[in-house]
């Protein structure tokens, strides 16, 4: 699970008011080199919950150099900054771990990089 | 950003990456389908397909996160579940950016109904391809071993993002 993916996911447990963001705990995190596409990164910026990305990146120890906030135009010209964001969004992968609903505490396992969000019928 | 739902073996997801999608999110419920997808991902050495196991209709994604492209291969609907494919299409339409597009599969026999319904809402619809799906014998009332079904691959977008002809 990449951090871009974590940024788009939320809990769908019954009765939950705000299931975003899911809490993350990880036992295996890999880093994989991914081709850098600055336009793609810039286009994604306005869709992200930026503070959540920064928080999760810091939690995993990969947040160094990430801007605290997005500029008003939600774009960066500086390629070094974009590369840093690219690294955090696409190159860091939680391979084994757990997501947790912020309201119910329900755990969703992450295994082989894939979060399992299936709920039982009564949930 | 592309999300592919009900991905079967990841054909559509992998195709998207090969055609230059920055990142593909594949949402799939079935564990066997996910295994096939993972095998294909490693065989093709694909980097940026993300897989989430879950039911795409159960809002596991933030409503305000919008995709450029949604690809969906919905169930066509059985005797008791007609119109299921329209529900998936509706959900997909709410997940795209204003310039985005949804690609979906529907029985050719329902083409007029679907085109009318979408066009009457000011959407731009295009039948991109016609194909035949082999549907295996699944239910007691299916007498043949498998049937070939005519299927449309359609592209839906808002009028402002319609492609030139």
């Amino acid at each position: 699970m990449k951090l871009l993916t974590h940024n788009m996911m939320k809990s769908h447990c019954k009765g939950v008011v705000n299931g975003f963001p899911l809490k993350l705990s990880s036992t295996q995190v890999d880093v994989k080199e991914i081709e850098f596409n600055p336009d793609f990164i810039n286009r994604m910026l306005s869709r992200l919950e930026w503070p959540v990305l920064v928080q999760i990146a810091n939690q995993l120890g990969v947040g160094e150099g990430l801007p605290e906030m997005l500029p008003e135009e939600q774009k960066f010209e500086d390629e070094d900054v974009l590369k840093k964001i690219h690294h955090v969004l696409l190159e860091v992968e939680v391979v084994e771990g757990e997501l947790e609903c912020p309201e119910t505490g329900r755990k969703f396992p992450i295994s082989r990089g894939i979060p399992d969000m299936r709920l039982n019928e009564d949930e | 950003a592309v999300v592919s739902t009900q991905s079967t073996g990841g054909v559509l997801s992998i195709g998207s990456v090969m055609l230059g999608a920055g990142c593909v999110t594949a949402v799939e419920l079935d564990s066997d389908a996910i295994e096939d997808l993972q095998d294909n991902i490693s065989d093709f050495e694909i980097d940026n397909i993300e897989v989430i196991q879950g039911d795409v209709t159960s809002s596991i994604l933030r409503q305000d996160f919008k995709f450029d492209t949604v690809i969906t291969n919905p169930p066509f609907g059985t005797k008791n579940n007609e119109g299921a494919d329209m529900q998936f299409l509706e959900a997909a339409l709410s997940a795209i950016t204003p310039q985005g597009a949804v690609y979906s599969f529907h029985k050719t026999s329902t083409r007029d109904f679907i085109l009318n319904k979408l066009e009457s809402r000011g959407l731009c619809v295009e039948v991109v391809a016609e194909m035949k799906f082999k549907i295996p014998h699944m239910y007691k009332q299916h007498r043949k071993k498998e049937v070939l079904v005519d299927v449309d691959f359609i592209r839906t977008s808002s009028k402002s993002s319609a492609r030139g002809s």
Side-chain angles (χ1 to χ4, degrees):
Chain A
M1 185 197 70
K2 298 179 202 268
L3 299 191
L4 169 60
T5 306
H6 172 266
N7 203 270
M8 60 174 88
M9 290 174 65
K10 69 171 179 41
S11 165
H12 56 136
C13 295
K14 221 190 276 193
V16 164
V17 172
N18 183 15
F20 178 84
L22 292 156
K23 293 185 190 169
L24 172 67
S25 59
S26 57
T27 50
Q28 184 187 340
V29 178
D30 283 356
V31 174
K32 193 173 175 195
E33 198 178 317
I34 302 283
E35 196 179 317
F36 173 57
N37 180 343
D39 290 328
F40 175 73
I41 301 299
N42 264 326
R43 281 194 306 110
M44 289 302 107
L45 293 180
S46 60
R47 306 183 201 188
L48 300 172
E49 284 289 332
W50 186 256
V52 168
L53 180 71
V54 173
Q55 178 195 51
I56 280 286
N58 286 329
Q59 179 190 323
L60 292 181
V62 298
E64 199 185 306
L66 273 187
E68 283 291 316
M69 283 188 339
L70 290 182
E72 209 180 297
E73 62 273 17
Q74 296 179 311
K75 265 180 57 170
F76 289 102
E77 300 289 340
D78 184 343
E79 267 214 3
D80 287 336
V81 174
L82 287 173
K83 279 197 178 134
K84 182 72 218 172
I85 298 171
H86 161 85
H87 176 75
V88 166
L89 280 178
L90 299 179
E91 293 187 328
V92 176
E93 289 203 24
V94 179
V95 179
E96 301 288 330
E98 219 169 48
L99 293 168
E100 183 185 317
C101 173
E103 290 185 9
T104 66
R106 211 279 194 186
K107 306 269 208 290
F108 299 96
I110 302 171
S111 172
R112 294 168 69 198
I114 301 180
D116 183 349
M117 304 304 293
R118 292 176 296 175
L119 284 177
N120 300 320
E121 274 194 25
D122 53 334
E123 292 178 293
Chain B
V2 177
V3 64
S4 170
T5 67
Q6 297 88 30
S7 29
T8 18
V11 167
L12 301 173
S13 303
I14 291 173
S16 300
V17 170
M18 288 177 161
L19 291 172
C23 189
V24 175
T25 307
V27 182
E28 174 58 66
L29 190 55
D30 179 69
S31 299
D32 290 335
I34 286 186
E35 271 226 35
D36 287 344
L37 174 51
Q38 285 191 299
D39 287 344
N40 285 331
I41 286 175
S42 61
D43 284 351
F44 283 91
E45 294 175 340
I46 305 283
D47 278 336
N48 22 11
I49 295 183
E50 282 280 87
V51 183
I52 301 175
Q53 182 159 18
D55 181 357
V56 71
T57 60
S58 66
S59 63
I60 51 180
L61 301 178
R62 269 198 286 129
Q63 246 89 319
D64 54 350
F65 188 95
K66 302 299 182 191
F67 293 88
D68 301 299
T69 308
V70 174
I71 306 175
T72 175
N73 181 11
F76 293 146
T78 61
K79 267 177 113 65
N80 300 320
N81 190 23
E82 266 176 21
D85 57 340
M86 275 307 291
Q87 282 179 34
F88 280 92
L89 178 46
E90 301 281 11
L93 285 167
S94 66
I96 52 171
T97 66
Q99 297 77 33
V102 177
Y103 292 85
S104 54
F105 296 89
H106 306 270
K107 286 192 289 192
T108 303
S109 58
T110 60
R111 180 189 298 182
D112 288 341
F113 169 72
I114 291 177
L115 258 47
N116 283 335
K117 192 160 191 204
L118 298 173
E119 278 166 353
S120 68
R121 285 166 37 187
L123 293 167
C124 185
V125 196
E126 196 188 324
V127 179
V128 173
E130 292 175 11
M131 40 192 74
K132 292 191 188 302
F133 277 17
K134 221 185 267 187
I135 313 272
H137 173 114
M138 279 190 300
Y139 303 103
K140 262 216 200 89
Q141 64 261 31
H142 290 181
R143 275 176 274 117
K144 301 191 198 149
K145 200 162 130 219
E146 62 188 17
V147 283
L148 278 183
V149 178
D150 289 332
V151 173
D152 288 344
F153 187 46
I154 73 168
R155 177 187 190 274
T156 310
S157 61
S158 60
K159 275 247 148 50
S160 55
S161 73
R163 301 187 297 190
S165 42

